[in-house]
Amino acid sequence: MGGTKKIFVFVLRLLAVAVTVCAAVVMITSSQSSSLFGIPVQAKYQYEPAFKFFVIANAIGSVYSFLVLFLPPKSMLWRLVVALDVVITMLLTSSISAAAAIAYLGKKGNIRAGWLPICGQFPKFCDQGMAALILGLGGVLIYMALLLYAIHTVINPLLL
């Protein structure tokens, strides 16, 4: 029974690596050029700090999860993994929150502040950003499951 749980956690961590890498790659490749009033304009993820934060947080989460895959099962470092799972989950949650706020602003704008929506002019950019956010949310959910399992294991070590 313990071997099945370890395989499940390994698969979840592997899935976390895949989803966070995909979220970062999709956001990095989001770019579109358009002409606004005859002036060429380009939309890139690099122009918004929240999107940069999203990419960096997903890169950190994927590298961390990849390194944890190679941690020996009997290592004392697993206690540190629980604390780091909390940090990574919080990092990913904050990055997706920031990126989602900017994505909403790009979609709807803010008339009171004079910010116009840009998704009408850059639909490909907005669609790729939305796909990256959906992948990022999947990563957060996977890390949340890993975190809950790790907390459960620490609280009740007899279930290993």
Side-chain angles (χ1 to χ4, degrees):
M1 186 95 153
T4 306
K5 289 182 181 180
K6 289 179 183 179
I7 291 172
F8 179 70
V9 170
F10 181 82
V11 169
L12 267 182
R13 290 222 182 256
L14 200 59
L15 193 60
V17 170
V19 170
T20 52
V21 165
C22 287
V25 168
V26 169
M27 185 61 85
I28 286 172
T29 59
S30 64
S31 176
Q32 185 177 2
S33 296
S34 183
S35 179
L36 193 62
F37 302 117
I39 301 169
V41 182
Q42 196 171 33
K44 289 184 172 183
Y45 90 96
Q46 296 105 320
Y47 298 157
E48 186 54 50
F51 292 155
K52 287 182 189 178
F53 176 47
F54 178 78
V55 168
I56 291 168
N58 276 288
I60 289 170
S62 61
V63 168
Y64 162 74
S65 208
F66 182 73
L67 291 175
V68 170
L69 287 174
F70 298 106
L71 198 60
K74 300 290 184 189
S75 175
M76 290 299 291
L77 290 175
W78 280 103
R79 294 178 189 253
L80 180 63
V81 167
V82 175
L84 289 175
D85 279 348
V86 171
V87 171
I88 295 298
T89 303
M90 291 173 66
L91 178 70
L92 290 174
T93 303
S94 64
S95 74
I96 195 167
S97 298
I102 296 303
Y104 181 80
L105 202 58
K107 179 89 170 151
K108 302 285 185 181
N110 187 338
I111 302 304
R112 291 183 183 156
W115 298 333
L116 299 174
I118 66 159
C119 286
Q121 289 81 23
F122 301 101
K124 179 183 168 246
F125 174 76
C126 289
D127 290 344
Q128 268 191 282
M130 183 59 68
L133 289 175
I134 291 169
L135 286 167
L137 181 61
V140 167
L141 293 175
I142 292 169
Y143 272 100
M144 198 65 89
L146 284 167
L147 177 61
L148 290 174
Y149 177 75
I151 290 171
H152 176 70
T153 303
V154 167
I155 291 174
N156 195 356
L158 297 176
L159 294 177
L160 285 174

